[in-house]
Amino acid sequence: MKLLCPRVITGSLTALNKGAVDWGFQGLIAYGCENIVVIVEPKIVQVIQALEKHRCAVVKVKWAKENYCHDLASSYNLRLASADVAGHIFVWDVAAAVTTAMFSDGNRPIQDMEWLSLQDTSHDLLAVLHPPHSLVLWNADTGTKIWKKTYTESLLSFSFDPFDAANVAFLGQDCLLLVGDFSCHKLPSSKGRKFYISNSGGNISGSGSSSSLGGHGSSFSGATGVDKRTGTRQTLRSKVKSLVMQEGKHSRIEDGSNIMLTDCLQLGYHPAWRHCLILVYPREVLLVDLQIKQTVGIIPLERTGSPFVQVYACRQRDMLICLHENGSITVRMRKLCCSPAPTPNEPGSPYMTVGDSNVDVMYELRCQSDPMRLNKQARIYSISACPVTENKFSLLLGDSRILFWELRTVELAFAPHAYNQPVMSPLHTPGENITDQCTIPDSWTFPYRNNISTPKMVLSDMIGSIDSKVKSEHEVAFKFLLVGLLSGVASPIVVLRMCPPLTTKNWNIYKALLAVGTTCGSVQIFNLATGALWKEFNLHSCSVRGLEWVSLTGFLSYAYPTPGTNGLVKNELLLIDINTGRTRQLRGNRTAEEPPIELVRVSYLKQYVVVTFKDCPMEIWDLRSFTLLRQMPPNFPIVTSLEWSPSATVKNLKRRHASQESAKGSSDSTVASAREQTPEHTAQGSPAVELVDRQENKAAALKEHFVFTDNEGQLYHFFVEGSTVREGSKIPPDGNMGLITCIAWKGDTMVLADMDGNLSIWDLKARISKAVPTHRGWIKKIRFAPGRGNMKLLILYGDGVDIWDAKEVELVSSIKTPKDLPKLQDVEWAASDRPLLATDDGCIRVLDMKMRVSCSQIQHHDTLEVIFSPYLLPGKASLTLQYHLQHQPWRENYSLQMTDLTDTSEEFTQKLVNEQVDIIDSELKEYLPNCRFGIAQRCLFVAQLFGNESEINFWTVALHYLRREKACPLGKSDSFIKRTSSDVFVPSDALSREVEDLVLLDNRQQSELRESQQLWKSLRGLPLDCCWDVLVDQETFLKCNLQKLALHESRCTSYELAQQCIQEMIFLGQGDRAVHMLLDTDADSHSYYADCLRACLVATIRSSGASQSTIKLVATNLIANGKLLEGVELLCLIDKSLDACRYLQSYGKWNLAAWLAKCTLEYRECLEVFRRWVEHLCSPTVNLKSKAVLVLLSMGQFLKVIEMLYSMRYFSRAAVFAEACIEFGVLTESDENQALLNAVYLEYARYLSNLDNKIAAVHYCGKAGEKGQQLQRELDIVFDSEKQ
């Protein structure tokens, strides 16, 4: 057991803490409780840290992003930013419990806060929103303000676009503000574009309706409104015109069916859907497409449904996790629905036919957790999700409880269908296991064959994409499982009582247990070593008034309701066994009313208990037999304070029974063994005297004595022995003391305290006393610290607490409330040097002797289980664990147990690594040595295990395109995807000629063909989801954009939107659809003639190419005269998309150029466009090299990826990726790339040597050529000198 260290055990939250919760990639949850930042480990369900430096309520907490490569200079660490209502921001090193920076913009409060992650300039940038309209960018490492931008609208929150770092959306009081020029290098110049929501409620219902955004600003001139699509497109246009006119007259849309943004609970970009903004209202959720400025989906609530509180949008799959007011959590997955109409389409294109029908974005309810019973104290505060797995959620309640939910899949046949809902379409598992579907040919050496199921660690492993063509036969459904519950202090606190102290006799069974009594009648038992709630007993129907321990496993609790006019109550005095939960009435079941209990004191040897009453004589009880020894007469003095003498010791008890034991002989061996135990605690925690009495069936009590004072300050001395109670001496009152309120007695020192703040310290051995005025007023409680010779005295006042040294008679430390802490409720000693304070905010603080430190390093805390977290390891240990799990080519066989660090100085690092390996999930431990797709797949699992966002993104894309390259090389085909009539991906490498032969031969059995098709599909894997945007393959990207185009076309309620859709159709090669839409223009429109001419132009050009030179000249002139999109449109009409992309890049439209190239160009042309884009991303002004690496991966440029990783000094990632490419057979060492690979291996060898792994470093030195051999000789010298 570790020594108790300073910590805080938190209680109920305030309303200001509602938005202060975050689950980071580090795997930990942070939330604000009053002015304290609490850190929770969800795997073991325990609070592992509580940070206290804020002076007022915490309103925001944000974990730092992990979207960067970790090395010795930037190792794994727990960094957290927290902000309070006064505007102060602290950046914490959570493991060390210290702040690394503190800054503020004056005393202005904070509305929102977010770390920047989509850039490589720095991972220390923090954006902070201050009311009413200021956005400040800080360097959180130094506390330096980089820039401050002031807008004109009152802003409440903001959200960064996960697809484009330049886009930010702000939620205002009555509008949305969209900013498109955000940059960490310079102050944004624009004021943003303001939009208002119109006609989003009222007369609409269901998901088949939509609402629009009206823009106020130069960049968007009109506002549109949409009601239920029951008529034709012409009808909708006429309705929209009236709204535009109203907006032009009043500068704001005045409509009774409007939804005001003041009702909006949450705003955020959808991480799985580009250009999509989510607005959460109490009764509905809106999904706004920012390209057409319209709501394309609505999730309405049923009439009896519980209102929305918060929505978490998943990234890995298009899924929404919705939190409701009744505590239930619902899972809703996207489903794109349409009603097809017989309209013209491009021949053979996958375009969705819609015509005049409606295309709706629907989110099906897939799963729902049970609602909760809530009260005023236990209200729903917030939900957070694990960003790595996205299948684990935490629900925070106002009473500090946290419920941990896990989303799991079950067989569809066994899935429950609650609330009489119809059976929904099944979800499909991704189908990663090749061996479950077909057998790998024996001639294949890769991928590796095994019979181990792939671990399903994250959401994308559990279910496949809804639109994916690759469907497994394994159909599943979702279900919620409650996997943990974490409780805090049940506020408000009334009383604290620490269990008997640690001694040499009980150290092997001792637990530092604290009993906490609350106003609701419950008693909570906390283990202060872990800070966790051990047990909770609901004992009384009224407030607990006091607690007293009778052993390590039992305590007394007394309670009574608020007295009435007669001052009488029904007292409850219970004895509780904390091991069994058994309770017993000490004073019997008394139904008559009596004066309330004021004091209960248990004797030092736990034999007797004194119960005092208000204005009534006291009672003395025998704890061994639960009998009343004596009730004092009515004329007995009124007790104001009482304390038992500590002079009765174990030695006296043993000496008393020594003669009896020698006479009885061996027959009483059981009794003798009981006497050898401490009378304070036996192995079961019961008093030794009680055990002796029960075994001997006779009284064997030791004389104990106590003192008390009356209203006049006179001190009385009483003796208790067995059933005898005798009065001793009386000491007259001290003239310098007032009414005595409490007494503390330890050894030969007795301290009396009065209501005027005076102390009287008596030395009983020397028979002298000393008066000490504290000048602090009424003293409520005094308590000596445990431990022999420890004379520290804890003193509770009405306005604070002091610690005095009674031996030296000097003040050690002091706290005043509410200046230093909230008002105190009670104080205790947790250990000999750890004062314990219960404050009015519902928290319990374990402090140091100076009462200034309330938090300590995580490594000093006891935990319920060993925690797997690289972020809690030293820098070298965490990096060693990473490379050890990723790849071990220097060993003959991959092994989870590390034995490479042979130097004695590194034994500690190796021990830490092996301890972490031992607690990895057994399923993953079994699979890691046998990963089917080798190094790349293992690195992805390790990245998910570490919560390294940068590694997860890299290896997800890398593994996908390595598998695709193995199945169908991009560079050997004329387009991204080689299509055949049977939709079979035919590889061209030597390892798969047998499959190619099977495809080409028509006389083979169909079963063999299906087997080979399934094999190649499995090898290629599922396509990346749409959250990866342009990084997905061309087929998937084109399909997603055509679906989005169909959605946009169904929402064409104005001429401007129709023109935008026509332009998209031309870009995507949908000429016939564009002609059809152009000809659909109203005859009364002023653009009718021009649109008819455009329709003729589009139709003519697509059938004849004789006028291409003229059209190209016209397009060039349009671009030169500022008509960029119009010129690009003409170039796309004549199949000059490559020229169009070049023009777009020249004019800075990089994202549009990449989009157009991915949709329309063949591989070689697209590669040219993307190479220029990569150069732009790597420029110093942009500095998005990490994104450039992913772009190169998506194009199959693996050697360029290695080169760029090397230039970024990501040596470990470059070396491991190079070996993964070689393992897949997509890269072979040659004279052209040998220099690069040697340089990469050389730097990785240096990296491993810096981590003190000579064996691994020597291996890579052998692969690095001559320079590697030279480095190996240097390493031999260095390591040999260290051994000497």
Side-chain angles (χ1 to χ4, degrees), residues 984-996:
V984 178
F985 294 86
V986 183
S988 57
D989 55 348
L991 293 176
S992 39
R993 292 176 181 172
E994 181 180 356
V995 179
E996 185 175 2

Side-chain angles (χ1 to χ4, degrees), residues 993-1004:
R993 292 176 181 172
E994 181 180 356
V995 179
E996 185 175 2
D997 293 337
L998 288 174
V999 176
L1000 295 176
L1001 291 176
D1002 296 332
N1003 57 353
R1004 297 293 179 91

Side-chain angles (χ1 to χ4, degrees), residues 69-82:
C69 185
H70 296 74
D71 52 25
L72 286 171
S74 303
S75 59
Y76 291 93
N77 62 356
L78 292 175
R79 193 165 55 146
L80 176 74
S82 61

Side-chain angles (χ1 to χ4, degrees), residues 442-554:
D442 295 335
S443 59
W444 286 30
T445 59
F446 187 82
Y448 304 115
R449 293 187 293 271
N450 64 53
N451 296 319
I452 304 174
S453 298
T454 305
K456 300 185 182 302
M457 295 180 59
V458 299
L459 180 63
S460 58
D461 296 335
M462 297 168 56
I463 58 169
S465 176
I466 297 295
D467 297 328
S468 176
K469 290 183 179 180
V470 182
K471 302 286 188 183
S472 70
E473 297 180 359
H474 193 55
E475 298 179 346
V476 295
F478 281 133
K479 75 168 184 178
F480 270 114
L481 184 65
L482 183 64
V483 295
L485 173 64
L486 180 64
S487 299
V489 180
S491 302
I493 302 171
V494 178
V495 61
L496 300 177
R497 197 63 171 150
M498 192 68 190
C499 71
L502 175 68
T503 66
T504 57
K505 300 290 185 180
N506 62 20
W507 68 269
N508 58 335
I509 61 169
Y510 183 77
K511 292 181 180 178
L513 301 180
L514 173 70
V516 180
T518 64
T519 55
C520 60
S522 66
V523 177
Q524 296 178 305
I525 309 297
F526 287 91
N527 188 335
L528 293 185
T530 61
L533 177 65
W534 188 56
K535 288 188 179 181
E536 183 171 3
F537 302 95
N538 292 315
L539 302 175
H540 308 285
S541 58
C542 51
S543 175
V544 178
R545 305 295 178 170
L547 299 168
E548 283 290 322
W549 289 85
V550 298
S551 67
L552 278 179
T553 60

Side-chain angles (χ1 to χ4, degrees), residues 111-112 127-130 132-136 147 149-151 153-160 166-182 188 190-195 261 264 266-269 277 279:
Q111 290 279 34
D112 206 353
V128 181
L129 179 64
H130 296 275
H133 41 55
S134 296
L135 183 68
V136 182
W147 52 253
K149 176 67 177 180
T150 301
Y151 295 96
E153 296 292 325
S154 297
L155 305 176
L156 304 176
S157 64
F158 69 95
S159 175
F160 284 110
N167 295 333
V168 187
F170 293 89
L171 176 63
Q173 290 185 347
D174 59 352
C175 70
L176 298 178
L177 184 66
L178 302 183
V179 175
D181 61 345
F182 183 89
S190 71
K191 295 291 184 179
R193 298 176 298 164
K194 292 183 289 184
F195 298 96
L261 277 175
C264 187
Q266 180 186 346
L267 168 143
Y269 279 97
L277 200 63
L279 299 175

Side-chain angles (χ1 to χ4, degrees), residues 761-1029:
I761 303 176
W762 293 11
D763 187 337
L764 301 179
K765 188 175 182 179
R767 297 191 176 185
I768 60 175
S769 65
K770 185 175 183 179
V772 180
T774 63
H775 308 291
R776 293 287 300 270
W778 179 26
I779 298 177
K780 295 182 176 181
K781 183 178 182 179
I782 57 175
R783 185 80 68 187
F784 273 111
R788 180 177 298 177
N790 188 355
M791 303 305 294
K792 299 296 188 297
L793 190 67
L794 191 63
I795 306 174
L796 175 63
Y797 306 97
D799 63 346
V801 62
D802 284 349
I803 296 180
W804 283 74
D805 190 330
K807 184 177 181 180
E808 303 295 335
V809 194
E810 63 181 8
L811 180 65
V812 177
S813 57
S814 178
I815 283 181
K816 291 187 177 181
T817 59
K819 178 182 177 182
D820 301 322
L821 285 177
K823 183 180 178 181
L824 297 177
Q825 295 292 335
D826 200 1
V827 296
E828 257 289 5
W829 286 100
S832 59
D833 58 346
R834 294 286 181 258
L836 189 65
L837 312 181
T839 51
D840 202 25
D841 59 358
C843 298
I844 299 172
R845 292 168 171 85
V846 182
L847 306 177
D848 65 338
M849 286 298 292
K850 296 295 183 181
M851 293 194 292
R852 293 292 180 266
V853 178
S854 60
C855 51
S856 53
Q857 298 181 21
I858 291 181
Q859 63 180 356
H860 295 160
H861 293 287
D862 264 345
T863 55
L864 301 174
E865 301 175 19
V866 181
I867 302 174
F868 179 88
S869 177
Y871 299 88
L872 297 177
L873 299 178
K876 281 189 175 181
S878 58
L879 296 173
T880 299
L881 176 63
Q882 181 178 1
Y883 78 71
H884 171 72
L885 293 176
Q886 284 180 334
H887 189 36
Q888 304 170 11
W890 55 88
R891 307 180 70 162
E892 183 177 354
N893 294 314
Y894 182 92
S895 174
L896 291 174
Q897 199 69 16
M898 188 173 196
T899 58
D900 302 328
L901 304 182
T902 57
D903 193 353
T904 54
S905 61
E906 298 303 322
E907 288 182 356
F908 179 68
T909 299
Q910 185 164 282
K911 178 184 177 183
L912 291 176
V913 169
N914 289 330
E915 286 178 352
Q916 292 288 292
V917 169
D918 290 340
I919 57 178
I920 296 176
D921 182 71
S922 58
E923 185 180 7
L924 182 60
K925 285 171 65 176
E926 184 182 11
Y927 189 79
L928 281 177
N930 306 286
C931 286
R932 180 171 295 113
F933 292 100
I935 302 168
Q937 189 179 32
R938 188 183 300 117
C939 288
L940 176 58
F941 280 126
V942 173
Q944 293 170 348
L945 187 65
F946 274 56
N948 189 330
E949 184 180 3
S950 176
E951 292 274 331
I952 292 173
N953 293 339
F954 177 84
W955 288 110
T956 299
V957 179
L959 178 60
H960 173 74
Y961 280 102
L962 285 172
R963 294 171 64 175
R964 290 187 68 89
E965 185 73 11
K966 184 71 175 177
C968 180
L970 293 174
K972 297 181 181 180
S973 60
D974 294 333
S975 62
F976 280 78
I977 299 176
K978 189 173 183 179
R979 300 179 179 89
T980 65
S981 58
S982 60
D983 198 25
V984 178
F985 294 86
V986 183
S988 57
D989 55 348
L991 293 176
S992 39
R993 292 176 181 172
E994 181 180 356
V995 179
E996 185 175 2
D997 293 337
L998 288 174
V999 176
L1000 295 176
L1001 291 176
D1002 296 332
N1003 57 353
R1004 297 293 179 91
Q1005 296 181 357
Q1006 292 297 323
S1007 60
E1008 295 180 357
L1009 179 60
R1010 286 195 298 270
E1011 182 179 347
S1012 63
Q1013 291 175 354
Q1014 189 64 39
L1015 180 60
W1016 282 115
K1017 288 182 180 181
S1018 182
L1019 176 62
R1020 189 183 63 172
L1022 293 176
L1024 293 175
D1025 215 337
C1026 292
C1027 64
W1028 296 99
D1029 198 35

Side-chain angles (χ1 to χ4, degrees), residues 48 71 96 115 152 168 182 186 227 283 317 321 414 436 469 524 557 578 701 708 773 794 866 892 911 1024 1056 1102 1181:
I48 62 172
D71 52 25
W115 292 89
T152 57
V168 187
F182 183 89
K186 60 180 180 180
D227 54 6
R283 303 298 303 178
R317 295 289 181 257
I321 309 299
F414 301 103
D436 294 341
K469 290 183 179 180
Q524 296 178 305
S557 173
I578 62 176
F708 69 89
L794 191 63
V866 181
E892 183 177 354
K911 178 184 177 183
L1024 293 175
E1056 291 79 8
R1102 293 183 61 82
T1181 56

